[in-house]
């Protein structure tokens, strides 16, 4: 299938936290800035919270894509949308009222999304698709950057994409973890269309060039753009 959206969302988890405004400027050619919010409870790491997101939203040249790896997202998620995030993702493993939380995020004018960890099956949550704008399939265990890509999660990406086709509507499929020049093609072929990349972007000498190259690799892997006779 041809993907109408192939979007690059660099993760500022791999950026220089002492110069976040400058680091956001370096990814002005990206589609999103991925902001990992960790509370040292849901995941064993602590990053940043609402006041920082609000400040980043004021200076970012691209919209913020906030990934909440926190406990009690029912309480906190709408606040991130109110603070200026254009997309807010909560984890199904942490949420109590997924439908209510997704609707509260949307009510604040942001896109709502849910995430599933590598060990969490997607099928029990397919019924949530009408309430969200995106599904995030984690391709590493959430909590730290720089982990190795879990290729076995491509089956889950395919499952999500098939479910999205059944339900209809414009629901994006995002992958996060170990996305690089070597793995982004597999993600596209499985059905993903939004790609979170941390060290693959911020570890490059020329960040804008790396964003362009990731986008090119994604386009090359899109079936509609492959030369006749080639295989996935």
């Amino acid at each position: 299938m041809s993907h109408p959206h192939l979007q690059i969302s660099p993760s500022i988890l791999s950026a220089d936290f002492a110069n976040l405004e400058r680091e956001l400027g370096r990814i002005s050619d990206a589609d999103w800035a991925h902001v990992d919010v960790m509370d040292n409870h849901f995941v064993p790491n602590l990053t940043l919270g609402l006041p920082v997101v609000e400040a980043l939203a004021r200076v970012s040249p691209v919209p913020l894509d906030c990934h909440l790896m926190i406990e009690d997202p029912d309480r906190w998620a709408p606040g991130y949308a109110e603070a200026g995030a254009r997309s807010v993702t909560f984890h199904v493993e942490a949420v109590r009222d997924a439908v209510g939380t997704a609707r509260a995020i949307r009510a604040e004018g942001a896109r709502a999304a849910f995430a599933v960890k590598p060990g969490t099956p997607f099928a029990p949550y397919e019924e949530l698709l009408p309430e969200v704008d995106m599904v995030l399939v984690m391709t590493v265990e959430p909590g730290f950057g720089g982990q190795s890509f879990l290729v076995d999660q491509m089956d889950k990406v395919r499952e999500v994409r098939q479910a999205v086709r059944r339900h209809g509507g414009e629901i994006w499929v995002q992958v996060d973890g170990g996305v690089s020049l070597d793995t982004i093609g597999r993600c596209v072929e499985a059905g993903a269309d939004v790609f979170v990349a941390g060290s693959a972007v911020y570890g490059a000498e020329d960040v804008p060039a790396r964003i362009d190259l990731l986008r090119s690799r994604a386009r090359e892997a899109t079936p509609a753009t492959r030369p006749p006779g080639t295989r996935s």
Side-chain angles (χ1 to χ4, degrees):
M1 54 91 67
S2 176
H3 297 276
H5 301 282
L6 291 173
Q7 303 178 71
I8 308 298
S9 183
S11 171
I12 64 169
L13 186 64
S14 297
D16 178 0
F17 268 40
N19 296 280
L20 284 178
E21 183 175 0
R22 184 197 67 190
E23 296 289 76
L24 287 168
R26 295 172 74 197
I27 61 168
S28 60
D29 292 335
D31 300 283
W32 298 86
H34 191 81
V35 181
D36 290 305
V37 177
M38 308 183 195
D39 64 359
N40 203 32
H41 294 286
F42 180 69
V43 291
N45 197 3
L46 184 66
T47 53
L48 45 79
L50 269 172
V52 176
V53 168
E54 189 172 12
L56 294 177
R58 289 197 296 266
V59 299
S60 180
V62 292
L64 300 187
D65 166 28
C66 278
H67 176 194
L68 305 185
M69 288 169 272
I70 62 174
E71 291 183 349
D72 201 10
D74 307 73
R75 175 185 178 187
W76 296 107
Y80 283 88
E82 187 179 2
R86 296 279 298 279
S87 178
V88 179
T89 302
F90 58 85
H91 269 265
V92 294
E93 301 89 355
V95 75
R96 295 188 305 277
D97 178 7
V99 171
T101 300
R103 290 178 179 177
I105 292 167
R106 283 174 154 182
E108 292 293 344
R111 297 175 63 86
F114 71 83
V116 287
K117 295 166 67 172
T120 301
F122 165 73
Y125 304 101
E126 181 176 343
E127 63 186 20
L128 295 177
L129 288 180
E131 304 291 343
V132 299
D133 304 286
M134 183 172 73
V135 177
L136 166 54
V137 177
M138 292 297 298
T139 44
V140 298
E141 288 294 337
F144 292 93
Q147 298 182 64
S148 297
F149 179 78
L150 297 175
V151 69
D152 62 350
Q153 295 303 299
M154 294 302 95
D155 287 340
K156 191 185 296 181
V157 173
R158 292 185 186 93
E159 182 185 2
V160 174
R161 176 54 66 190
Q162 289 166 3
V164 166
R165 287 198 197 106
R166 287 195 299 271
H167 284 262
E170 187 178 326
I171 300 171
W172 301 344
V173 181
Q174 185 179 65
V175 285
D176 179 3
V179 176
S180 68
L181 294 174
D182 295 328
T183 61
I184 194 168
R186 288 188 175 190
C187 298
V188 173
E189 289 165 358
D193 48 19
V194 186
F195 312 95
V196 178
S199 55
V201 171
Y202 278 109
E205 186 172 335
D206 187 333
V207 167
R210 177 57 56 86
I211 292 170
D212 287 343
L213 188 53
L214 283 165
R215 195 177 276 121
S216 295
R217 290 281 176 91
R219 287 172 181 156
E220 288 167 5
T222 304
T225 63
R226 290 198 197 100
T230 59
R231 299 179 63 186
S232 300

